Amino acid sequence: MTSRTLEMATFYVGDALCGMDILNVQEINKLMDMTTVPQAPDYVVGILNLRGQIVTIIDLGKKLNLGKSERSDMSRNIIVNAKDEYIGLLVSRISDVVEAQWDKVEPPPANIGGVQGKFFKGVYKTKDRLIGILDVEKVLYNDK
Amino acid sequence: MTIQDDETLQMYLEESIEHLADIENDLLAIEETGVDIDEDLVNKVYRAAHSIKGGAGFMGLTTIKDLTHEMESILGKIRSREMVPTPEIVNVLLMAADTLKALMNDVFTSNEVDIAKHIDALQAIAEGKPLPVPAKLQPDVVAGRTSDGQPENDVKMVSVATADAGIAIEADHAKVKNLIDEGKFIYLARIDVVADVLEKGKIPATIIEEMEQTGTLIACSIPPDQFRSMDLERGRPSDPLIVLFATILKPEDINVLFEIPKHQIHQVMPNMTVRCLGSESPTPVPTTATPETVSTVRPNPNPAAQPKPSPANAPAETPPTMELKTTAKKSETETSLRVHVSLLDQLMTLAGELVLSRNQLLQSMTSEDQRGSEIAGQRIDLITSELQEAIMLTRMQSIGNVFNKFTRVVRDLSRSLEKKVDLHIEGKDVELDKTIIEAIGDPLTHLVRNAVDHGIELPGVRRGNGKNPVGKIFLKAYHEAGQVNIEISDDGKGLNGQVLTQKALEKGLISEDQAKVMSDKERTNLIFLPGFSTAEKVTDVSGRGVGMDVVKTNLDKLGGIIDIDSELGKGSTIRIKLPLTLAIIPCQIVMTGNERYAIPQVNLEELLRIPASQVKDRIERVGDAEVVRLRGNLLPLIKLSDEIGTDAVYVDPKTGNKNLDRRKTLSDRRSKKSPLVTDSDTETSKIEGENERVETEARQSEDRRYHATSALNVVVVSTGAMKYGLVVDELHDSEEIVVKPLGRDLKSCKGYAGATIMGDGRVALILDVANLAQVAGLTSIEGSSRAAEVAAENLRTIREQKDRQSLLVFRSAENEQFAAPLNMVERIEKIKASDIESLGGKRVIRYRGGSLPLFSVDEVAMVRPLAEVDDLLVIVFILSGKEIGLLAIGPVDAVELAIDVDGQTLKQAGIMGSAIINDHTTLMIDVYEIVQTLNPQWFEKMEAVTNDEGEAAKILFAEDSNFFRNQVKSYMEDEGYTVIEAEDGAIAWDLLQQHADEISLVVTDIEMPEMNGFELTRRIKTSNAYAHLPVIALTTLAGEDNIEEGRQVGIDDYQIKLDRENLLRSICGFLTSM
């Protein structure tokens, strides 16, 4: 059953405004003490303890080939549940929750703010902004 | 009969499976005893089979019942000694037991399985006929009829019935199957002649006609013709017509045809279950195959003699729904466990205590009572540990479950390979976590099979090599150091390291360089590399090169390690180490680069700290690896900081700051003045400010060398095959941690085996030491020339250690040092001079409820008198069963030195000789002589043992040190024996041959240059002429490593060189018992 409304959590990755289905989002946290993992892939920031579970934190900017995200007070970790493990996405800034209509979503262009189109499910235009709806699976996909 | 689908069935199955396991073991035992029948054992098996049979009958498991019945009858015959359990008979019984197991695992289809082969074989045995060839037997003809007069031969009948057997009919199975295949619906219906036919205004003929027009009448209880012409009278009850009918009409529509009450129509599902159309849920009633109504022609009283009509097709037809049900049932049975009730009670108690402590804690916290919180916290700590242990115990199963099935495996395998193998199992009671038990079953089976297949040679070959034609395999399990060890050893042909290395080279698994420097142990461990198989013929017994590395991988998953030790021609031993549980493991926490890491204790061998002053000496470079010398062997080192790519850090003890350890190599000692310090370094130190500069200037190169921070912390780890040292910055505690898996992004990181959460909430990574070694490209240096040098050096030092004495060094007067043999010292006590009492001219002291006589050296020997101090020491000796104390003053030290004792210069009564110890002339006291002089009445005179001619016995004495030889010789000669002395084992051997029949006993030292004591003893004991001579070995050290070796060559007794009493007593003992 597909609902016609999509609630999105939006956030900034660098300069690009992205959104993801709020049902994917487990929680959003401020940056906490992380343990670095030497020898890990470069997009892995570290691992942290989330109420007894080990969560891998990924720099979303790096993963989307935008370069390392700047860490500031505004940076947040979006914890998503992907294939029965928790992964945290480090983003520059959190924005609002936006309600979108699926029929208003347009196919993604080749490039949004530097991020390749393949990571997006589509784009949504609000009054003043363009939100790229991220395909979380694709983003987290690791080709081994 | 129906199969009850409920808890009763589950319980029955669990019990029966246990019975079957016992039956299997007992059958094997029965086979061993052969003609010598152990009635109790046979009884046990009989009773077990009987219980299974009884339960099966009750549950409706007819196949199982029938099979068990046959087994039972044979067992009965064995029990009454009408039959001898030959291997063939036992074989048939075992196969039947296997089938029973299979039937029980798939219980709902069990009634359809064809066990004709087994029945026939079992019956043939019972009747004493030769066993039938195990070809597929033709199903015997049933003397039953079908209502449509089908040919009697080759007809397989199936009986279709409802749950209450109210409606049942026999039908030709093939026909039914075909119709089902065609997609038709099969219905079983009961048509009541009166109610359904007459009252509805029909006649029987019509019914038949209608059915024949809309489908196929497979079977009728009354032949159609007969029915058609049935003369019916109202009100007279007659047999109902039961039909088996196939049609395209769907269940919803079928009653249009029949027009009978719905509950009389049942749909026959493709799996032969019957579904009543009148009720909601399907009743899973599989068809029974024993139509009691059908009479049999065969004289055999056993109703099960009729072949099961359902062919092997039936199970294949089982639709997915049925299978789902059985697998669901299966997984339910697999996830149940037997737990001792006492353990559950313990858990309940602990849970209760936990609740109480928690309440306490909460209360203390809210009232901010710190002390109370602490106490409660401690209590909770204890309870949590106990709880964890108790819960772990519930999951423990004894490894005997796994080991027991190997008896069968080895037996079957050795028979098929025509080898003779004896399997010994030890440690069946060792307990392991359930998941581990389940997981090691396969790897162990593989290893055992390998041992039989590749390890043990054929009997002929073994005989040719001088081995016992029966090979031995030992399977041993034991607990050690918090882990479970499993050993599989065989006395087969062992592994050829060279051949393995060749193969590995050929397959490109190792490089030439590696191949050159490998140690023997590493060569044999090559077998674990993936892609390895050296079997000449890859038999399907032991697989094709997927064996050993799969075993290793499986064990790695469990967190265990495996390694193999082998000697060509003698045999191999495989050792497996497993942790007790998977989830919680004890670890050593270390710190490098400001981060904590955990090293599992499974891998931990020891912790080593190299003080700064020794760093330069003990660390060397071999090739491009750094190694440290550890107890005579070289240990390669890896810097953890290098491997993970962080910077090593050391804590400056003065400032407590953590500074980067700028040492490039471990043994690097840089001073500011050395050419290694570049300009940039001096620059930074200038910038770092006043205080720093003062620090750096003040530090000299020598200081740095000895700075505490320059010491090295090394964790010695082992990966089964290899040991190496991991250099870390700091060592923390060892803790029990919970292993949490890493996310998929991090799975590719070699070097980490998981992560854990520490007490402060932070995450620590768990190191995978095996992978670290690989990543570091650690090659073994064992085979290198340097290692050989070190080993040789070591051997030399050991040899030079002969005549090392363990001595207790003390003083009597301020400047006079004495020494006594440490072995003779019982203990040392501190006393006050004022406690000494003087009785009858002797000094005593109240001691342990009695009086301890005291003496000092100056009472006997001409030495300086005992110092007059308040605090004295008493060195307690035991002589002739009595305790005596020697007064002394400190300093007291225990030393182990190779000393040259001068037995001449300072010899006098009470003094054996002198030596230089720690730059002091030390007098060696002869305790025996002193005590004897003071208290001669203490010692019983031991008569020297004389031989027949009244001559004192002659003793051959070999000892290379002049001092000791003279000393001990004097003991023996004083006693009255004649001593033939030899300076060396070789000389002793010659003397022995010269004086062959005179010598009654041999006393020998161990370390002698030409031929040592062991060799001499071995020669004596393996020669026919002298094997009867008792051999007493003399030793000087306080601790013994070689007692075991001594026992093996046949040394009869070990004595301490300077313990005169015990030596003489031992000599006397041996000579009198000869």
Side-chain angles (χ1 to χ4, degrees), chain B residues 380-426:
Chain B
I380 290 188
D381 185 15
L382 281 176
I383 298 177
T384 313
S385 299
E386 279 184 55
L387 200 56
Q388 182 219 323
E389 236 186 85
I391 294 178
M392 209 175 75
L393 284 177
T394 59
R395 287 179 60 93
M396 301 287 245
Q397 278 184 349
S398 71
I399 206 174
N401 295 343
V402 175
F403 279 3
N404 281 339
K405 58 180 189 179
F406 290 138
T407 327
R408 179 83 188 278
V409 168
V410 168
R411 174 189 172 273
D412 291 344
L413 201 52
S414 50
R415 284 182 101 199
S416 66
L417 295 173
E418 292 182 12
K419 297 186 183 171
K420 295 207 180 65
V421 183
D422 226 349
L423 178 67
H424 295 266
I425 300 184
E426 212 181 287

Short mmCIF file of all heavy atoms in Angstrom, two decimals, chain B residues 380-426:
data_model
loop_
_atom_site.label_atom_id
_atom_site.label_comp_id
_atom_site.label_asym_id
_atom_site.label_seq_id
_atom_site.Cartn_x
_atom_site.Cartn_y
_atom_site.Cartn_z
N ILE B 380 25.56 -6.18 43.86
CA ILE B 380 25.05 -6.41 42.50
C ILE B 380 26.15 -6.95 41.61
O ILE B 380 25.93 -7.82 40.76
CB ILE B 380 24.45 -5.11 41.92
CG1 ILE B 380 23.17 -4.78 42.67
CG2 ILE B 380 24.18 -5.25 40.44
CD1 ILE B 380 22.38 -3.65 42.09
N ASP B 381 27.35 -6.47 41.83
CA ASP B 381 28.48 -6.98 41.05
C ASP B 381 28.61 -8.48 41.22
O ASP B 381 28.68 -9.23 40.25
CB ASP B 381 29.75 -6.26 41.54
CG ASP B 381 30.95 -6.63 40.70
OD1 ASP B 381 30.78 -7.19 39.60
OD2 ASP B 381 32.07 -6.35 41.16
N LEU B 382 28.60 -8.91 42.49
CA LEU B 382 28.73 -10.34 42.78
C LEU B 382 27.60 -11.13 42.16
O LEU B 382 27.80 -12.15 41.51
CB LEU B 382 28.71 -10.57 44.29
CG LEU B 382 30.01 -10.31 45.04
CD1 LEU B 382 29.76 -10.49 46.52
CD2 LEU B 382 31.10 -11.24 44.56
N ILE B 383 26.38 -10.62 42.40
CA ILE B 383 25.22 -11.38 41.91
C ILE B 383 25.23 -11.48 40.40
O ILE B 383 24.89 -12.51 39.83
CB ILE B 383 23.91 -10.74 42.39
CG1 ILE B 383 23.86 -10.75 43.92
CG2 ILE B 383 22.71 -11.48 41.83
CD1 ILE B 383 22.65 -10.08 44.47
N THR B 384 25.63 -10.40 39.75
CA THR B 384 25.65 -10.43 38.28
C THR B 384 26.60 -11.50 37.78
O THR B 384 26.30 -12.24 36.85
CB THR B 384 26.07 -9.07 37.71
OG1 THR B 384 25.35 -8.05 38.37
CG2 THR B 384 25.81 -9.00 36.23
N SER B 385 27.77 -11.58 38.43
CA SER B 385 28.70 -12.61 37.99
C SER B 385 28.11 -13.99 38.18
O SER B 385 28.19 -14.84 37.29
CB SER B 385 30.01 -12.53 38.78
OG SER B 385 30.62 -11.30 38.57
N GLU B 386 27.52 -14.20 39.35
CA GLU B 386 26.94 -15.52 39.59
C GLU B 386 25.82 -15.83 38.62
O GLU B 386 25.68 -16.95 38.13
CB GLU B 386 26.38 -15.58 41.02
CG GLU B 386 27.43 -15.83 42.08
CD GLU B 386 26.82 -15.96 43.46
OE1 GLU B 386 25.92 -16.80 43.62
OE2 GLU B 386 27.22 -15.21 44.34
N LEU B 387 25.03 -14.80 38.35
CA LEU B 387 23.90 -15.00 37.44
C LEU B 387 24.41 -15.37 36.05
O LEU B 387 23.91 -16.28 35.39
CB LEU B 387 23.09 -13.70 37.39
CG LEU B 387 21.67 -13.77 36.89
CD1 LEU B 387 20.89 -14.77 37.71
CD2 LEU B 387 21.03 -12.40 37.01
N GLN B 388 25.43 -14.64 35.64
CA GLN B 388 25.98 -14.92 34.32
C GLN B 388 26.49 -16.34 34.24
O GLN B 388 26.25 -17.06 33.28
CB GLN B 388 27.10 -13.94 34.02
CG GLN B 388 27.69 -14.13 32.65
CD GLN B 388 29.19 -13.97 32.65
OE1 GLN B 388 29.73 -13.12 33.36
NE2 GLN B 388 29.86 -14.78 31.87
N GLU B 389 27.17 -16.75 35.30
CA GLU B 389 27.71 -18.11 35.30
C GLU B 389 26.60 -19.13 35.27
O GLU B 389 26.66 -20.10 34.51
CB GLU B 389 28.50 -18.30 36.59
CG GLU B 389 29.92 -18.74 36.35
CD GLU B 389 30.60 -19.05 37.64
OE1 GLU B 389 30.45 -20.19 38.11
OE2 GLU B 389 31.25 -18.13 38.17
N ALA B 390 25.57 -18.90 36.09
CA ALA B 390 24.48 -19.88 36.16
C ALA B 390 23.77 -19.98 34.81
O ALA B 390 23.46 -21.06 34.34
CB ALA B 390 23.48 -19.49 37.25
N ILE B 391 23.54 -18.86 34.18
CA ILE B 391 22.85 -18.89 32.89
C ILE B 391 23.71 -19.60 31.85
O ILE B 391 23.24 -20.35 31.01
CB ILE B 391 22.50 -17.46 32.43
CG1 ILE B 391 21.49 -16.87 33.39
CG2 ILE B 391 21.95 -17.47 31.03
CD1 ILE B 391 21.11 -15.46 33.08
N MET B 392 24.99 -19.35 31.95
CA MET B 392 25.88 -20.02 31.02
C MET B 392 25.81 -21.53 31.21
O MET B 392 25.84 -22.28 30.25
CB MET B 392 27.31 -19.54 31.29
CG MET B 392 28.19 -19.57 30.08
SD MET B 392 29.78 -18.86 30.43
CE MET B 392 30.53 -20.16 31.39
N LEU B 393 25.71 -21.93 32.49
CA LEU B 393 25.66 -23.36 32.77
C LEU B 393 24.43 -24.02 32.17
O LEU B 393 24.46 -25.18 31.78
CB LEU B 393 25.66 -23.61 34.28
CG LEU B 393 27.01 -23.44 34.97
CD1 LEU B 393 26.84 -23.65 36.46
CD2 LEU B 393 28.01 -24.44 34.42
N THR B 394 23.31 -23.28 32.11
CA THR B 394 22.12 -23.91 31.56
C THR B 394 22.33 -24.29 30.11
O THR B 394 21.73 -25.22 29.60
CB THR B 394 20.88 -22.99 31.62
OG1 THR B 394 21.18 -21.81 30.89
CG2 THR B 394 20.51 -22.64 33.04
N ARG B 395 23.19 -23.56 29.45
CA ARG B 395 23.39 -23.86 28.05
C ARG B 395 24.48 -24.91 27.83
O ARG B 395 24.78 -25.28 26.71
CB ARG B 395 23.79 -22.59 27.31
CG ARG B 395 22.65 -21.63 27.13
CD ARG B 395 23.16 -20.41 26.41
NE ARG B 395 23.69 -20.77 25.13
CZ ARG B 395 22.99 -20.74 24.01
NH1 ARG B 395 21.73 -20.37 24.05
NH2 ARG B 395 23.54 -21.08 22.87
N MET B 396 25.07 -25.33 28.92
CA MET B 396 26.17 -26.25 28.74
C MET B 396 25.68 -27.66 28.53
O MET B 396 24.81 -28.14 29.23
CB MET B 396 27.04 -26.25 30.01
CG MET B 396 27.60 -24.90 30.33
SD MET B 396 28.90 -24.47 29.21
CE MET B 396 30.25 -24.42 30.33
N GLN B 397 26.29 -28.30 27.58
CA GLN B 397 26.02 -29.71 27.38
C GLN B 397 27.35 -30.43 27.43
O GLN B 397 28.38 -29.85 27.10
CB GLN B 397 25.46 -29.92 25.98
CG GLN B 397 24.00 -29.66 25.88
CD GLN B 397 23.51 -29.99 24.51
OE1 GLN B 397 24.29 -30.23 23.60
NE2 GLN B 397 22.22 -30.03 24.35
N SER B 398 27.32 -31.66 27.81
CA SER B 398 28.60 -32.34 27.89
C SER B 398 29.04 -32.77 26.50
O SER B 398 28.23 -33.13 25.65
CB SER B 398 28.53 -33.54 28.82
OG SER B 398 27.78 -34.55 28.24
N ILE B 399 30.33 -32.72 26.32
CA ILE B 399 30.87 -33.00 25.01
C ILE B 399 30.76 -34.48 24.67
O ILE B 399 30.95 -34.88 23.51
CB ILE B 399 32.34 -32.53 24.96
CG1 ILE B 399 32.73 -32.22 23.54
CG2 ILE B 399 33.28 -33.57 25.54
CD1 ILE B 399 34.09 -31.62 23.43
N GLY B 400 30.42 -35.27 25.69
CA GLY B 400 30.24 -36.69 25.45
C GLY B 400 29.22 -36.96 24.36
O GLY B 400 29.34 -37.91 23.59
N ASN B 401 28.22 -36.06 24.27
CA ASN B 401 27.22 -36.23 23.22
C ASN B 401 27.87 -36.29 21.85
O ASN B 401 27.47 -37.07 20.98
CB ASN B 401 26.25 -35.04 23.22
CG ASN B 401 25.44 -35.00 24.48
OD1 ASN B 401 25.38 -35.99 25.20
ND2 ASN B 401 24.84 -33.88 24.77
N VAL B 402 28.83 -35.44 21.65
CA VAL B 402 29.49 -35.39 20.34
C VAL B 402 30.47 -36.55 20.21
O VAL B 402 30.54 -37.20 19.16
CB VAL B 402 30.24 -34.05 20.20
CG1 VAL B 402 31.02 -34.02 18.91
CG2 VAL B 402 29.25 -32.92 20.23
N PHE B 403 31.21 -36.80 21.28
CA PHE B 403 32.25 -37.83 21.20
C PHE B 403 31.67 -39.21 20.95
O PHE B 403 32.28 -40.03 20.27
CB PHE B 403 33.04 -37.86 22.51
CG PHE B 403 34.11 -36.79 22.57
CD1 PHE B 403 34.26 -35.87 21.56
CD2 PHE B 403 34.97 -36.73 23.65
CE1 PHE B 403 35.23 -34.90 21.61
CE2 PHE B 403 35.96 -35.76 23.71
CZ PHE B 403 36.09 -34.86 22.70
N ASN B 404 30.50 -39.45 21.54
CA ASN B 404 29.98 -40.82 21.45
C ASN B 404 29.73 -41.27 20.03
O ASN B 404 29.88 -42.44 19.72
CB ASN B 404 28.70 -40.94 22.27
CG ASN B 404 29.03 -41.08 23.74
OD1 ASN B 404 30.13 -41.46 24.09
ND2 ASN B 404 28.08 -40.76 24.58
N LYS B 405 29.34 -40.33 19.19
CA LYS B 405 29.02 -40.82 17.85
C LYS B 405 30.27 -41.19 17.08
O LYS B 405 30.21 -41.84 16.04
CB LYS B 405 28.18 -39.79 17.09
CG LYS B 405 28.82 -38.45 16.95
CD LYS B 405 27.87 -37.52 16.18
CE LYS B 405 28.62 -36.24 15.86
NZ LYS B 405 27.92 -35.28 15.14
N PHE B 406 31.42 -40.79 17.60
CA PHE B 406 32.64 -41.13 16.86
C PHE B 406 32.98 -42.60 16.94
O PHE B 406 33.66 -43.12 16.05
CB PHE B 406 33.81 -40.30 17.38
CG PHE B 406 33.70 -38.86 17.03
CD1 PHE B 406 34.01 -37.88 17.93
CD2 PHE B 406 33.24 -38.48 15.77
CE1 PHE B 406 33.89 -36.55 17.60
CE2 PHE B 406 33.11 -37.16 15.44
CZ PHE B 406 33.44 -36.19 16.36
N THR B 407 32.53 -43.25 18.01
CA THR B 407 32.81 -44.69 18.08
C THR B 407 32.26 -45.36 16.83
O THR B 407 32.91 -46.17 16.19
CB THR B 407 32.12 -45.30 19.30
OG1 THR B 407 32.08 -44.35 20.34
CG2 THR B 407 32.86 -46.53 19.76
N ARG B 408 31.07 -44.97 16.51
CA ARG B 408 30.42 -45.56 15.34
C ARG B 408 31.15 -45.17 14.07
O ARG B 408 31.41 -45.99 13.19
CB ARG B 408 28.98 -45.05 15.33
CG ARG B 408 28.15 -45.53 14.20
CD ARG B 408 27.57 -46.89 14.42
NE ARG B 408 26.94 -47.36 13.21
CZ ARG B 408 25.72 -47.03 12.83
NH1 ARG B 408 25.00 -46.20 13.59
NH2 ARG B 408 25.23 -47.49 11.71
N VAL B 409 31.48 -43.88 13.99
CA VAL B 409 32.15 -43.38 12.79
C VAL B 409 33.44 -44.15 12.55
O VAL B 409 33.71 -44.63 11.44
CB VAL B 409 32.46 -41.87 12.96
CG1 VAL B 409 33.40 -41.39 11.87
CG2 VAL B 409 31.18 -41.08 12.93
N VAL B 410 34.23 -44.27 13.63
CA VAL B 410 35.51 -44.95 13.47
C VAL B 410 35.30 -46.41 13.11
O VAL B 410 35.99 -46.95 12.24
CB VAL B 410 36.32 -44.83 14.79
CG1 VAL B 410 37.52 -45.75 14.76
CG2 VAL B 410 36.78 -43.40 14.98
N ARG B 411 34.35 -47.02 13.72
CA ARG B 411 34.10 -48.43 13.45
C ARG B 411 33.72 -48.64 12.00
O ARG B 411 34.30 -49.48 11.30
CB ARG B 411 32.98 -48.90 14.37
CG ARG B 411 32.52 -50.32 14.11
CD ARG B 411 31.25 -50.59 14.93
NE ARG B 411 30.67 -51.85 14.58
CZ ARG B 411 29.80 -52.04 13.59
NH1 ARG B 411 29.46 -51.02 12.85
NH2 ARG B 411 29.30 -53.24 13.35
N ASP B 412 32.75 -47.88 11.54
CA ASP B 412 32.31 -48.06 10.16
C ASP B 412 33.41 -47.75 9.17
O ASP B 412 33.63 -48.47 8.20
CB ASP B 412 31.10 -47.15 9.87
CG ASP B 412 29.87 -47.60 10.63
OD1 ASP B 412 29.87 -48.75 11.10
OD2 ASP B 412 28.94 -46.80 10.77
N LEU B 413 34.11 -46.65 9.46
CA LEU B 413 35.14 -46.22 8.53
C LEU B 413 36.28 -47.22 8.47
O LEU B 413 36.79 -47.56 7.40
CB LEU B 413 35.67 -44.86 8.99
CG LEU B 413 36.37 -44.05 7.93
CD1 LEU B 413 35.51 -43.92 6.72
CD2 LEU B 413 36.69 -42.68 8.49
N SER B 414 36.70 -47.69 9.65
CA SER B 414 37.84 -48.60 9.62
C SER B 414 37.45 -49.89 8.93
O SER B 414 38.27 -50.51 8.26
CB SER B 414 38.37 -48.85 11.03
OG SER B 414 37.32 -49.21 11.89
N ARG B 415 36.21 -50.28 9.08
CA ARG B 415 35.80 -51.49 8.38
C ARG B 415 35.85 -51.29 6.88
O ARG B 415 36.34 -52.13 6.15
CB ARG B 415 34.38 -51.87 8.79
CG ARG B 415 34.34 -52.48 10.16
CD ARG B 415 32.94 -52.86 10.50
NE ARG B 415 32.76 -54.29 10.32
CZ ARG B 415 31.59 -54.89 10.18
NH1 ARG B 415 30.50 -54.18 10.16
NH2 ARG B 415 31.51 -56.18 10.04
N SER B 416 35.33 -50.16 6.45
CA SER B 416 35.28 -49.98 5.00
C SER B 416 36.66 -49.78 4.41
O SER B 416 36.91 -50.09 3.27
CB SER B 416 34.37 -48.82 4.64
OG SER B 416 34.91 -47.61 5.09
N LEU B 417 37.59 -49.27 5.18
CA LEU B 417 38.94 -49.08 4.67
C LEU B 417 39.84 -50.25 5.00
O LEU B 417 41.02 -50.24 4.66
CB LEU B 417 39.55 -47.81 5.27
CG LEU B 417 38.88 -46.51 4.87
CD1 LEU B 417 39.46 -45.35 5.67
CD2 LEU B 417 39.08 -46.24 3.40
N GLU B 418 39.29 -51.23 5.69
CA GLU B 418 40.07 -52.41 6.08
C GLU B 418 41.26 -52.07 6.95
O GLU B 418 42.35 -52.62 6.79
CB GLU B 418 40.52 -53.17 4.84
CG GLU B 418 39.34 -53.80 4.13
CD GLU B 418 39.78 -54.59 2.93
OE1 GLU B 418 40.99 -54.82 2.79
OE2 GLU B 418 38.91 -54.97 2.14
N LYS B 419 41.05 -51.13 7.85
CA LYS B 419 42.10 -50.84 8.82
C LYS B 419 41.59 -51.23 10.19
O LYS B 419 40.39 -51.34 10.42
CB LYS B 419 42.42 -49.34 8.81
CG LYS B 419 42.94 -48.85 7.50
CD LYS B 419 43.38 -47.39 7.60
CE LYS B 419 43.83 -46.93 6.23
NZ LYS B 419 44.05 -45.49 6.20
N LYS B 420 42.54 -51.39 11.09
CA LYS B 420 42.11 -51.70 12.46
C LYS B 420 42.42 -50.49 13.32
O LYS B 420 43.57 -50.07 13.45
CB LYS B 420 42.90 -52.91 12.99
CG LYS B 420 42.62 -54.20 12.26
CD LYS B 420 42.86 -55.38 13.20
CE LYS B 420 42.61 -56.70 12.55
NZ LYS B 420 43.50 -57.04 11.45
N VAL B 421 41.38 -49.95 13.91
CA VAL B 421 41.59 -48.75 14.70
C VAL B 421 40.90 -48.87 16.06
O VAL B 421 39.78 -49.35 16.14
CB VAL B 421 41.01 -47.51 13.99
CG1 VAL B 421 41.30 -46.26 14.79
CG2 VAL B 421 41.58 -47.39 12.60
N ASP B 422 41.63 -48.43 17.06
CA ASP B 422 41.11 -48.44 18.43
C ASP B 422 40.89 -46.99 18.84
O ASP B 422 41.81 -46.19 18.80
CB ASP B 422 42.21 -49.02 19.33
CG ASP B 422 41.65 -50.03 20.28
OD1 ASP B 422 40.40 -50.11 20.38
OD2 ASP B 422 42.44 -50.72 20.91
N LEU B 423 39.70 -46.67 19.27
CA LEU B 423 39.42 -45.28 19.64
C LEU B 423 39.32 -45.16 21.15
O LEU B 423 38.56 -45.88 21.78
CB LEU B 423 38.11 -44.83 18.99
CG LEU B 423 37.65 -43.42 19.32
CD1 LEU B 423 38.59 -42.40 18.74
CD2 LEU B 423 36.25 -43.19 18.76
N HIS B 424 40.11 -44.25 21.73
CA HIS B 424 40.01 -44.01 23.17
C HIS B 424 39.46 -42.62 23.38
O HIS B 424 39.95 -41.67 22.81
CB HIS B 424 41.39 -44.09 23.82
CG HIS B 424 41.98 -45.46 23.75
ND1 HIS B 424 41.86 -46.36 24.75
CD2 HIS B 424 42.68 -46.07 22.78
CE1 HIS B 424 42.47 -47.47 24.41
NE2 HIS B 424 42.97 -47.32 23.22
N ILE B 425 38.47 -42.55 24.24
CA ILE B 425 37.87 -41.23 24.50
C ILE B 425 38.06 -40.86 25.95
O ILE B 425 37.81 -41.65 26.84
CB ILE B 425 36.37 -41.25 24.16
CG1 ILE B 425 36.17 -41.61 22.69
CG2 ILE B 425 35.75 -39.90 24.44
CD1 ILE B 425 34.74 -41.56 22.26
N GLU B 426 38.49 -39.63 26.16
CA GLU B 426 38.70 -39.17 27.53
C GLU B 426 38.07 -37.81 27.69
O GLU B 426 38.16 -36.97 26.80
CB GLU B 426 40.20 -39.04 27.76
CG GLU B 426 40.65 -39.33 29.17
CD GLU B 426 42.15 -39.15 29.26
OE1 GLU B 426 42.85 -40.02 28.73
OE2 GLU B 426 42.60 -38.15 29.83
#
